[in-house]
Structures are given as structure tokens and as C-alpha cells.
Amino acid sequence: MARVVGLDGSVKRDVNLSATDVENMYRLQVLARTFDRKAVSLHRQGRIGTYAPLHGQEAAQVGAAYALSPDDYCFPTYRDHAMYLTRGHAMRDVLLNLSGAGNYVDREDADGLRTFPPTIPIATQLPHAVGVGMGAKYKDDDCAVLASFGDGATSEGDFHEAMNFAGVFDAPAVFFCQNNQWAISVPRERQTASETIAQKAQAYGFEGIRVDGNDVFAVYSAVRDALARAKDGEPLLIEAVTYRRGAHTTTDDPTKYRDEAEVESWAEKDPLERTREYLESEHEWTDEDERALREEATDRVAEAVEAAEAHDGYDTDAIFDHVYDGEHPRYARQRAAVPENPDVER
């Protein structure tokens, strides 16, 4: 399994990153965890809808998204909040989406960012991602597509169909599996008899690799190299081995199906601690730097919550956007069935 930084923060191989990039990756991980904790609290207070915590998967999401160029496409899932933040989407917009007040693609700050809205159905974004990659290839668009999903998605037909199309048509696609060990309450060993998820790529004619998903630099390096290869017509599957330390969603109770000792053992592999220890040993990161960063993250999250909750209401007509390319004959009747829409004559 590919690794750059050990569990103790020691360097296994050169990260080939500037001090600025290293600090930015840590800053984004801290911001993601701070946001995550606040989002769980907001749901408990009824201020946002059901939320999928990312605690423990910060390195996987930040490292993968950090490797993308602005021209590359990104297909996240419902848990990939850190990917949106890393891609440059405003935290306010992430919160608005969670409150049902819109989606990422219509925001002004998202202009030019090739990031798709989060996918709730499991694995359905994977064929779409391959299709976008194939279209880009036909148009000679020098880009690649990163499709993110969990280990449970590998049990869905969409995963296998997408992999097959990518292999047959040499799509510029990178399949990024965040293997967090649990598909809701189903453990990884009940998902597949394969020794690894990465080896599934062999059936479709391309390579699969495993990487330490709690090592942000290893993830970044693996995804960066995979994107370059994908642009040359070589799709890849990356299995980022990580762990979901929180609940599947805020409607889930993980204590019902997993051992607390397992959670504690993964806490010792915490991605933020490993990055911080690397910064301390290699870039003279201090306790004062840490305090300032934590305060900054807390302030940014608080500002984003205030901005999101100051929005001017819900546009009920927006539920019809992006369903069809143009106006559909059924829209008039369906709009009339939405009682909150004041602009439709009943």
C-alpha cells in the first residue's frame, strides 16, 4: 500500500510539495473537520437536513481534490464535503445545499469549476463520469475525470458498467474509492470476497492501486499521477484505505453494529495528526501556528453558517431545473401542484 508519511509523521519518501502546498492541505483538513463537527450540530438543532459526516476521511478527500486541475472534472458523493471546499466552492453554498436551498452548480463562485452536485443514489454518478470523460476525449479536451465513491458502491451494477466502459473505450477516468470499511452497517468483508478493491480493475483491463487514505500526501501523489495517465487514455482505479469514524449519516447509530475498539484503533491513525506531525518535523510548525489555524477555521465556519442562514428563502421552482434540457410538457401541471409557488396560477 502506497504511503508517504508514516503513522508517526515520519517521511517514507519525498513529498515533492512546497511548504505552501503542505500547509494548505493541512489547513483544508482542519477546516473540513471543523465544518463537519458544526454540520452534525446543525442537524441536531434542525437547521440542516440529514448529514453524512466525513470525520476520518479528510485526507482522502482533500488529497484527491487538491490533485485536480481547474480543467478536470470531479464527481463527488454525498459525503465529500471536503472535496467541494478544496475545489474552491464556498462553504456557504455547501450549507445551502444541505438545507435544501439550492445546488452548487448555479452559484456564481462555482463559475468554471467542473464539479458536479453530490450524488445520493449509490454509484449512479460513475457511468455519468465515464460518459463525460468519453465526451471530453472526443472533443480533444485535455482533461481527466475523477469519480469518487465508497466501498459499498463496488457492489452496485453501475460500478461494473462504468469500469467496463472505461476499459473498453480508454476513457480518461480515475475511479477513486474511499474504502472507509463500512457500507452503512455492512462491513467491507461482506461486500466482496476479493482481497482488495483495487484488484477489481484487472477484470476491466486496467490497473488498480491501493493507497493509505489517511496519508494526504500519498493520496495526492497517487491521484495526480493517475490523472496524468488517464489523459493518455489509461483509466485507473485507486482504493484509498481509510475509516469512517462517525455515523453513516446523522440518522444512523454505528454503536449498533461496530466495536468501539475498532474505532479507537483507527483514531490512532488520524489523518490530521499525521499531517501536523509532519509539519512540525519538516516545516517548523508551532503550537501558535496550530492555535491560529484552529481559530481561523472556527471563524470561517461561523461566518459561513451566518451567511447561509441569511439567504432570502427557497425557490420552489428550482426543483424543475436540470431535470430536462428544456421545458417539458408536464411542467405546467407539476408547477401548479407546488403550493408554495406564488407565481403559478392555480
Side-chain angles (χ1 to χ4, degrees):
M1 183 163 56
R3 180 173 290 152
V4 171
V5 176
L7 298 179
D8 59 355
S10 60
V11 180
K12 303 301 180 183
R13 56 187 174 89
D14 191 352
V15 298
N16 293 318
L17 287 166
S18 68
T20 299
D21 282 328
V22 170
E23 290 185 16
N24 281 344
M25 287 186 186
Y26 183 51
R27 189 177 305 277
L28 286 162
Q29 289 180 84
V30 170
L31 181 64
R33 182 164 295 182
T34 306
F35 168 84
D36 189 68
R37 288 172 173 164
K38 184 63 175 180
V40 171
S41 175
L42 290 173
H43 174 264
R44 299 299 187 219
Q45 298 169 48
R47 293 159 70 183
I48 62 172
T50 301
Y51 177 74
L54 61 87
H55 188 188
Q57 298 180 227
E58 296 89 351
Q61 295 184 20
V62 170
Y66 205 89
L68 291 163
S69 77
D71 292 331
D72 292 328
Y73 289 91
C74 184
F75 283 76
T77 72
Y78 52 80
R79 197 183 308 281
D80 291 338
H81 319 293
M83 283 193 171
Y84 287 102
L85 300 180
T86 303
R87 284 286 268 172
H89 292 268
M91 192 184 304
R92 168 186 177 272
D93 294 347
V94 178
L95 288 166
L96 283 175
N97 180 267
L98 291 167
S99 67
N103 62 63
Y104 304 96
V105 297
D106 289 335
R107 304 297 178 188
E108 291 182 4
D109 70 297
D111 185 37
L113 289 174
R114 294 175 162 185
T115 314
F116 280 67
T119 306
I120 305 302
I122 304 301
T124 57
Q125 78 276 21
L126 302 185
H128 300 162
V130 173
V132 167
M134 291 170 63
K137 180 180 177 181
Y138 295 151
K139 295 191 299 181
D140 292 324
D141 188 353
D142 185 24
C143 66
V145 178
L146 180 77
S148 176
F149 54 97
D151 48 295
T154 65
S155 295
E156 297 287 339
D158 298 84
F159 166 78
H160 298 280
E161 292 163 6
M163 295 274 283
N164 190 53
F165 262 85
V168 171
F169 294 100
D170 299 324
V174 176
F175 296 90
F176 184 67
C177 177
Q178 295 179 62
N179 177 7
N180 66 17
Q181 314 303 317
W182 290 91
I184 309 184
S185 60
V186 181
R188 179 247 178 244
E189 58 267 22
R190 299 295 293 175
Q191 287 290 326
T192 179
S194 299
E195 184 176 349
T196 70
I197 289 173
Q199 72 188 65
K200 293 179 182 292
Q202 297 175 16
Y204 302 102
F206 54 91
E207 185 179 355
I209 62 174
R210 297 185 93 212
V211 63
D212 184 341
N214 284 7
D215 180 345
V216 68
F217 307 122
V219 172
Y220 167 81
S221 178
V223 173
R224 178 198 60 197
D225 294 347
L227 290 167
R229 292 170 63 179
K231 291 175 185 178
D232 289 333
E234 185 182 351
L236 278 95
L237 168 63
I238 297 174
E239 177 188 357
V241 181
T242 183
Y243 193 78
R244 165 173 58 82
R245 286 169 58 185
H248 172 70
T249 70
T250 44
T251 63
D252 169 49
D253 180 3
T255 63
K256 300 293 186 182
Y257 56 80
R258 68 183 187 189
D259 191 338
E260 186 61 28
E262 176 184 288
V263 181
E264 292 174 359
S265 70
W266 276 92
E268 297 175 0
K269 306 171 186 176
D270 184 78
L272 271 66
E273 290 300 317
R274 288 170 68 180
T275 312
R276 178 181 177 178
E277 288 169 359
Y278 172 82
L279 276 167
E280 290 174 345
S281 64
E282 301 294 324
H283 294 282
E284 300 179 347
W285 188 259
T286 66
D287 289 342
E288 183 57 36
D289 292 328
E290 186 70 19
R291 281 192 294 271
L293 174 58
R294 300 281 175 164
E295 290 175 5
E296 176 192 355
T298 300
D299 290 344
R300 286 188 61 184
V301 171
E303 290 170 3
V305 172
E306 183 178 357
E309 294 188 332
H311 73 88
D312 56 1
Y314 298 85
D315 179 10
T316 55
D317 201 55
I319 65 175
F320 300 99
D321 295 344
H322 311 297
V323 179
Y324 293 97
D325 181 53
E327 190 71 9
H328 192 278
R330 295 194 184 117
Y331 273 179
R333 175 175 56 81
Q334 291 174 349
R335 283 192 172 96
V338 182
E340 295 84 6
N341 192 333
D343 299 324
V344 176
E345 185 177 344
R346 305 276 185 263

